[in-house]
Amino acid sequence: LVHAGYDLGGGGFFHLELTDKYGAESLLRGALLPGEVRVGDRNFANAKGLHSLRVQSHNQADFIVRAGWKAFALSQADGTAFDLIAHLRALPRDQQPHEVAVQAQVDKTTHLPLRLIILRFSPEETAKIHKRLRRRAQRDRKKLDPRTLVAAEFLILATSLPAEVYPADEVLAVYRLRWQIEVAF
């Protein structure tokens, strides 16, 4: 497998690594630089891995990852459970970014502070996603969890970037650039 790190600002690869079929994808591949922001899709929405990125960089590197509704065990700052689906259901039916500060459980005693940026898809896009999910469930002969349909209405990003410095619109714009690595390949 080839693992690659792509520098969006420089427009090229900064890290290439060849592994056997057991080499897992990780945002930790390649040297972490102070001020760096690593961007990843849903595969990287893992509390232990993201916590390791923050620890190994001495909290000098950040992340933006897309998250599914089951990706993290979430709680509020006071430790009470955070119900993401209930939060999504309560959001206005607009297409403006909404934010919430939560924490993800890394282990029994460690939590990773997260800022969730949530953007509702258009009704047309939501209909396409729902259709695809229903077809897949039917094909796989599985029952579709209704919470999956709720979450499918939204793009959910988890980031360590502070809201005071990085507005939601900018974080969303950076995440959209993630496709540049696909183009580079």
Side-chain angles (χ1 to χ4, degrees):
L1 299 173
V2 175
H3 303 277
Y6 189 80
D7 180 351
L8 289 170
F13 293 101
F14 70 87
H15 177 80
L16 291 170
E17 186 175 344
L18 187 62
T19 66
D20 62 18
K21 65 181 179 179
Y22 302 106
E25 290 183 324
S26 172
L27 291 180
L28 296 172
R29 293 191 181 276
L32 292 165
L33 303 173
E36 179 178 16
V37 179
R38 299 236 169 149
V39 182
D41 61 18
R42 281 183 242 242
N43 297 337
F44 299 100
N46 172 287
K48 287 182 182 176
L50 297 172
H51 181 259
S52 293
L53 181 145
R54 296 289 288 156
V55 168
Q56 289 182 28
S57 72
H58 306 285
N59 291 327
Q60 297 297 304
D62 288 286
F63 60 83
I64 302 169
V65 296
R66 185 168 182 176
W69 70 271
K70 297 185 284 186
F72 303 108
L74 296 172
S75 61
Q76 298 177 50
D78 64 5
T80 59
F82 178 78
D83 184 341
L84 179 58
I85 296 299
H87 182 79
L88 296 176
R89 284 183 172 133
L91 289 175
R93 299 206 64 79
D94 59 18
Q95 291 171 330
Q96 299 299 313
H98 298 274
E99 299 185 47
V100 61
V102 294
Q103 54 187 10
Q105 184 173 346
V106 176
D107 58 37
K108 289 184 180 185
T109 60
T110 309
H111 291 85
L112 173 68
L114 291 177
R115 173 179 161 214
L116 298 183
I117 299 173
I118 303 164
L119 182 66
R120 187 183 296 273
F121 291 122
S122 70
E124 297 80 20
E125 185 64 23
T126 297
K128 287 181 198 174
I129 295 167
H130 283 182
K131 184 178 181 180
R132 187 175 64 239
L133 288 169
R134 287 185 176 106
R135 262 190 282 165
R136 185 179 305 142
Q138 186 177 26
R139 181 194 68 209
D140 296 343
R141 295 188 175 109
K142 293 185 177 182
K143 185 175 182 199
L144 185 59
D145 189 320
R147 296 172 294 182
T148 299
L149 292 173
V150 172
E153 295 180 33
F154 301 91
L155 170 66
I156 304 167
L157 299 181
T159 186
S160 57
L161 293 168
E164 309 79 51
V165 183
Y166 300 95
D169 288 336
E170 290 181 17
V171 174
L172 287 159
V174 170
Y175 181 77
R176 287 184 198 104
L177 293 174
R178 184 187 64 78
W179 281 103
Q180 293 304 311
I181 194 166
E182 306 297 338
V183 172
F185 268 114

